[in-house]
Amino acid sequence: MRIAQLQRPMAAAASYIPRTTSATTIRQLRDALGHLRIGATNAAVEGRRHASVKSQGAYRLRDSGTIPKKLGAKKTGDSYVIPGNIIYKQRGTKWYPGENCGMGRDHTIFAQVTGYVKYYRDPAKHPKRQYIGVVFNKEDSLPYPQHAVRKRRLNMIATPIVIPEPKPELSASGIPNEVVREGYGRRPHPRDKRILRLRKDGSYAYAEENWRLGTLVRTDKRKRGSRRVAMRNRRRKTKAIALEMRAERKDYIARRKEALDEQRAAKLKKIRAYRERQAMLKEKAAQEGGNAAGPGGEIPPPKSSPPRAEA
């Protein structure tokens, strides 16, 4: 045992020693030390050193596997918002969307216009519901009066509409200023349409506008060196060619059918005209035969045709 640890036991033993006589000092000291049981179980004699810092209590770590929901208000009253800003996140309809606000499928209320947030109640709509709205002016309050004019901001500026001057169809020389050439086939593609305008240099020549000529140029936008993109473009081109050929085939069949229908109609028209002529001739012959009949109504026998020379 260290000397520092024996200071307190010696002081306790010395307290038992009376100060009247000195002869019995050593004997009394031994008796006092005998009363003190110095061992590992006596904490007072050993002089244990206790902790100078208080121990911390038990605690739990936050569960990192739970994703925080972060519900609640994201914008306070009179806060400035733009379209799409989230104003309030909730589970259920604790708040309802009001003026210029919308609600998502997870009951999130967001702004639809640029303005300032207002939290309010509207007894005219519902006696207990709470609403969130957006106003254009910060001084306005919601709800608006029942029959007030609705306030909207269209983000538009009033500008006068310039009416283009009508261009004459014929030039001073008497030829048209514009010539339109359609594409080929029964249903020409709008891409094949050509608009030719008369030049202003006095050459009496027609030419297309530069921006129309630029639309005819088709650039290859595929990625160079990529076989996958090349195969995709090749399949797309093959499919487009097949569709175009199918359309041309349908167009040819339709034109052929129209031509056959026209021929059939012309033939039927000729047959009908021939039958009408034959009917008219029969009626005329019947009238002439009635006039040539005798008084008894007898029809004279037909005249014999002259003999024909046989080869």
Side-chain angles (χ1 to χ4, degrees), residues 25-48:
T25 302
I26 298 174
R27 186 184 304 168
Q28 292 177 357
L29 181 59
R30 291 177 180 175
D31 296 337
L33 290 176
H35 290 291
L36 294 175
R37 293 177 296 177
I38 300 175
T41 58
N42 197 339
V45 177
E46 289 182 359
R48 290 182 180 178

mmCIF file of all heavy atoms in Angstrom, residues 25-48:
data_model
loop_
_atom_site.group_PDB
_atom_site.id
_atom_site.type_symbol
_atom_site.label_atom_id
_atom_site.label_comp_id
_atom_site.label_asym_id
_atom_site.label_seq_id
_atom_site.Cartn_x
_atom_site.Cartn_y
_atom_site.Cartn_z
ATOM 1 N N THR A 25 2.177 4.438 24.471
ATOM 2 C CA THR A 25 1.836 4.946 23.126
ATOM 3 C C THR A 25 1.954 3.852 22.084
ATOM 4 O O THR A 25 1.074 3.668 21.243
ATOM 5 C CB THR A 25 2.749 6.105 22.756
ATOM 6 O OG1 THR A 25 2.625 7.148 23.730
ATOM 7 C CG2 THR A 25 2.379 6.642 21.382
ATOM 8 N N ILE A 26 3.076 3.090 22.169
ATOM 9 C CA ILE A 26 3.292 2.075 21.147
ATOM 10 C C ILE A 26 2.275 0.965 21.284
ATOM 11 O O ILE A 26 1.735 0.461 20.282
ATOM 12 C CB ILE A 26 4.722 1.508 21.255
ATOM 13 C CG1 ILE A 26 5.721 2.654 21.008
ATOM 14 C CG2 ILE A 26 4.946 0.372 20.259
ATOM 15 C CD1 ILE A 26 7.173 2.237 21.239
ATOM 16 N N ARG A 27 1.948 0.569 22.513
ATOM 17 C CA ARG A 27 0.987 -0.504 22.713
ATOM 18 C C ARG A 27 -0.412 -0.079 22.235
ATOM 19 O O ARG A 27 -1.118 -0.843 21.589
ATOM 20 C CB ARG A 27 0.947 -0.868 24.204
ATOM 21 C CG ARG A 27 0.084 -2.089 24.511
ATOM 22 C CD ARG A 27 0.015 -2.329 25.992
ATOM 23 N NE ARG A 27 1.363 -2.451 26.524
ATOM 24 C CZ ARG A 27 1.647 -2.443 27.810
ATOM 25 N NH1 ARG A 27 0.699 -2.279 28.731
ATOM 26 N NH2 ARG A 27 2.915 -2.584 28.241
ATOM 27 N N GLN A 28 -0.768 1.144 22.540
ATOM 28 C CA GLN A 28 -2.080 1.629 22.126
ATOM 29 C C GLN A 28 -2.166 1.753 20.593
ATOM 30 O O GLN A 28 -3.208 1.534 19.984
ATOM 31 C CB GLN A 28 -2.368 2.965 22.805
ATOM 32 C CG GLN A 28 -2.571 2.846 24.303
ATOM 33 C CD GLN A 28 -2.775 4.206 24.959
ATOM 34 O OE1 GLN A 28 -2.703 5.233 24.283
ATOM 35 N NE2 GLN A 28 -3.014 4.210 26.267
ATOM 36 N N LEU A 29 -1.015 2.131 20.023
ATOM 37 C CA LEU A 29 -0.994 2.238 18.569
ATOM 38 C C LEU A 29 -1.199 0.881 17.906
ATOM 39 O O LEU A 29 -1.923 0.750 16.907
ATOM 40 C CB LEU A 29 0.331 2.862 18.115
ATOM 41 C CG LEU A 29 0.495 3.061 16.591
ATOM 42 C CD1 LEU A 29 -0.589 3.960 16.034
ATOM 43 C CD2 LEU A 29 1.885 3.641 16.295
ATOM 44 N N ARG A 30 -0.561 -0.153 18.508
ATOM 45 C CA ARG A 30 -0.752 -1.495 17.965
ATOM 46 C C ARG A 30 -2.211 -1.945 18.105
ATOM 47 O O ARG A 30 -2.773 -2.568 17.193
ATOM 48 C CB ARG A 30 0.166 -2.483 18.676
ATOM 49 C CG ARG A 30 1.641 -2.276 18.346
ATOM 50 C CD ARG A 30 2.490 -3.235 19.143
ATOM 51 N NE ARG A 30 3.905 -3.049 18.828
ATOM 52 C CZ ARG A 30 4.895 -3.705 19.455
ATOM 53 N NH1 ARG A 30 4.583 -4.600 20.418
ATOM 54 N NH2 ARG A 30 6.139 -3.466 19.123
ATOM 55 N N ASP A 31 -2.807 -1.657 19.259
ATOM 56 C CA ASP A 31 -4.209 -2.039 19.424
ATOM 57 C C ASP A 31 -5.121 -1.324 18.419
ATOM 58 O O ASP A 31 -6.063 -1.914 17.878
ATOM 59 C CB ASP A 31 -4.667 -1.725 20.869
ATOM 60 C CG ASP A 31 -3.905 -2.561 21.903
ATOM 61 O OD1 ASP A 31 -3.397 -3.631 21.483
ATOM 62 O OD2 ASP A 31 -3.864 -2.150 23.062
ATOM 63 N N ALA A 32 -4.792 -0.056 18.210
ATOM 64 C CA ALA A 32 -5.624 0.707 17.242
ATOM 65 C C ALA A 32 -5.482 0.167 15.831
ATOM 66 O O ALA A 32 -6.455 0.055 15.078
ATOM 67 C CB ALA A 32 -5.244 2.190 17.273
ATOM 68 N N LEU A 33 -4.221 -0.207 15.511
ATOM 69 C CA LEU A 33 -4.026 -0.772 14.159
ATOM 70 C C LEU A 33 -4.655 -2.146 14.051
ATOM 71 O O LEU A 33 -5.046 -2.595 12.970
ATOM 72 C CB LEU A 33 -2.529 -0.858 13.852
ATOM 73 C CG LEU A 33 -1.808 0.490 13.647
ATOM 74 C CD1 LEU A 33 -0.311 0.261 13.459
ATOM 75 C CD2 LEU A 33 -2.387 1.211 12.456
ATOM 76 N N GLY A 34 -4.755 -2.888 15.220
ATOM 77 C CA GLY A 34 -5.404 -4.179 15.179
ATOM 78 C C GLY A 34 -6.895 -4.070 14.922
ATOM 79 O O GLY A 34 -7.498 -4.970 14.335
ATOM 80 N N HIS A 35 -7.466 -2.975 15.470
ATOM 81 C CA HIS A 35 -8.892 -2.783 15.198
ATOM 82 C C HIS A 35 -9.179 -2.473 13.724
ATOM 83 O O HIS A 35 -10.267 -2.769 13.218
ATOM 84 C CB HIS A 35 -9.437 -1.659 16.099
ATOM 85 C CG HIS A 35 -9.519 -2.029 17.549
ATOM 86 N ND1 HIS A 35 -10.425 -2.962 18.060
ATOM 87 C CD2 HIS A 35 -8.783 -1.618 18.635
ATOM 88 C CE1 HIS A 35 -10.258 -3.091 19.352
ATOM 89 N NE2 HIS A 35 -9.251 -2.278 19.737
ATOM 90 N N LEU A 36 -8.216 -1.855 13.058
ATOM 91 C CA LEU A 36 -8.398 -1.545 11.628
ATOM 92 C C LEU A 36 -8.034 -2.771 10.798
ATOM 93 O O LEU A 36 -6.908 -3.245 10.839
ATOM 94 C CB LEU A 36 -7.502 -0.359 11.231
ATOM 95 C CG LEU A 36 -7.848 0.991 11.880
ATOM 96 C CD1 LEU A 36 -6.804 2.027 11.482
ATOM 97 C CD2 LEU A 36 -9.235 1.437 11.470
ATOM 98 N N ARG A 37 -8.986 -3.278 10.052
ATOM 99 C CA ARG A 37 -8.737 -4.440 9.189
ATOM 100 C C ARG A 37 -8.305 -3.960 7.816
ATOM 101 O O ARG A 37 -9.120 -3.559 6.995
ATOM 102 C CB ARG A 37 -10.005 -5.303 9.085
ATOM 103 C CG ARG A 37 -10.384 -5.967 10.406
ATOM 104 C CD ARG A 37 -11.680 -6.740 10.271
ATOM 105 N NE ARG A 37 -12.790 -5.828 9.966
ATOM 106 C CZ ARG A 37 -14.021 -6.250 9.739
ATOM 107 N NH1 ARG A 37 -14.307 -7.548 9.742
ATOM 108 N NH2 ARG A 37 -14.969 -5.379 9.487
ATOM 109 N N ILE A 38 -7.019 -3.980 7.641
ATOM 110 C CA ILE A 38 -6.498 -3.527 6.348
ATOM 111 C C ILE A 38 -6.548 -4.693 5.389
ATOM 112 O O ILE A 38 -5.909 -5.715 5.583
ATOM 113 C CB ILE A 38 -5.052 -3.018 6.508
ATOM 114 C CG1 ILE A 38 -5.031 -1.855 7.497
ATOM 115 C CG2 ILE A 38 -4.492 -2.595 5.164
ATOM 116 C CD1 ILE A 38 -3.627 -1.370 7.818
ATOM 117 N N GLY A 39 -7.356 -4.581 4.337
ATOM 118 C CA GLY A 39 -7.502 -5.642 3.332
ATOM 119 C C GLY A 39 -8.074 -5.087 2.027
ATOM 120 O O GLY A 39 -8.312 -3.888 1.882
ATOM 121 N N ALA A 40 -8.294 -5.996 1.114
ATOM 122 C CA ALA A 40 -8.790 -5.573 -0.206
ATOM 123 C C ALA A 40 -10.253 -5.184 -0.156
ATOM 124 O O ALA A 40 -10.737 -4.502 -1.037
ATOM 125 C CB ALA A 40 -8.590 -6.697 -1.222
ATOM 126 N N THR A 41 -10.945 -5.629 0.963
ATOM 127 C CA THR A 41 -12.378 -5.356 1.019
ATOM 128 C C THR A 41 -12.708 -4.046 1.692
ATOM 129 O O THR A 41 -13.834 -3.586 1.597
ATOM 130 C CB THR A 41 -13.085 -6.486 1.762
ATOM 131 O OG1 THR A 41 -12.537 -6.598 3.078
ATOM 132 C CG2 THR A 41 -12.923 -7.797 1.017
ATOM 133 N N ASN A 42 -11.791 -3.451 2.383
ATOM 134 C CA ASN A 42 -12.052 -2.203 3.098
ATOM 135 C C ASN A 42 -11.735 -1.038 2.183
ATOM 136 O O ASN A 42 -10.561 -0.722 1.953
ATOM 137 C CB ASN A 42 -11.203 -2.145 4.370
ATOM 138 C CG ASN A 42 -11.747 -1.092 5.334
ATOM 139 O OD1 ASN A 42 -12.455 -0.185 4.940
ATOM 140 N ND2 ASN A 42 -11.393 -1.251 6.603
ATOM 141 N N ALA A 43 -12.775 -0.352 1.667
ATOM 142 C CA ALA A 43 -12.576 0.735 0.715
ATOM 143 C C ALA A 43 -12.047 1.971 1.402
ATOM 144 O O ALA A 43 -11.294 2.747 0.815
ATOM 145 C CB ALA A 43 -13.883 1.054 -0.002
ATOM 146 N N ALA A 44 -12.455 2.178 2.675
ATOM 147 C CA ALA A 44 -11.983 3.382 3.384
ATOM 148 C C ALA A 44 -10.503 3.324 3.632
ATOM 149 O O ALA A 44 -9.792 4.331 3.561
ATOM 150 C CB ALA A 44 -12.747 3.553 4.686
ATOM 151 N N VAL A 45 -9.979 2.113 3.964
ATOM 152 C CA VAL A 45 -8.548 1.982 4.228
ATOM 153 C C VAL A 45 -7.748 2.036 2.935
ATOM 154 O O VAL A 45 -6.672 2.627 2.874
ATOM 155 C CB VAL A 45 -8.281 0.684 4.999
ATOM 156 C CG1 VAL A 45 -6.794 0.481 5.223
ATOM 157 C CG2 VAL A 45 -9.014 0.727 6.330
ATOM 158 N N GLU A 46 -8.255 1.387 1.880
ATOM 159 C CA GLU A 46 -7.519 1.355 0.609
ATOM 160 C C GLU A 46 -7.414 2.739 -0.005
ATOM 161 O O GLU A 46 -6.449 3.042 -0.693
ATOM 162 C CB GLU A 46 -8.202 0.403 -0.363
ATOM 163 C CG GLU A 46 -8.043 -1.063 0.019
ATOM 164 C CD GLU A 46 -8.679 -1.970 -0.983
ATOM 165 O OE1 GLU A 46 -9.258 -1.434 -1.951
ATOM 166 O OE2 GLU A 46 -8.603 -3.189 -0.815
ATOM 167 N N GLY A 47 -8.437 3.600 0.168
ATOM 168 C CA GLY A 47 -8.380 4.931 -0.426
ATOM 169 C C GLY A 47 -8.608 4.899 -1.923
ATOM 170 O O GLY A 47 -7.740 5.350 -2.675
ATOM 171 N N ARG A 48 -9.696 4.303 -2.363
ATOM 172 C CA ARG A 48 -9.975 4.218 -3.804
ATOM 173 C C ARG A 48 -10.206 5.608 -4.405
ATOM 174 O O ARG A 48 -10.763 6.491 -3.763
ATOM 175 C CB ARG A 48 -11.221 3.375 -4.066
ATOM 176 C CG ARG A 48 -11.006 1.895 -3.781
ATOM 177 C CD ARG A 48 -12.247 1.110 -4.097
ATOM 178 N NE ARG A 48 -12.058 -0.306 -3.840
ATOM 179 C CZ ARG A 48 -13.004 -1.214 -3.996
ATOM 180 N NH1 ARG A 48 -14.206 -0.820 -4.391
ATOM 181 N NH2 ARG A 48 -12.764 -2.477 -3.749
#
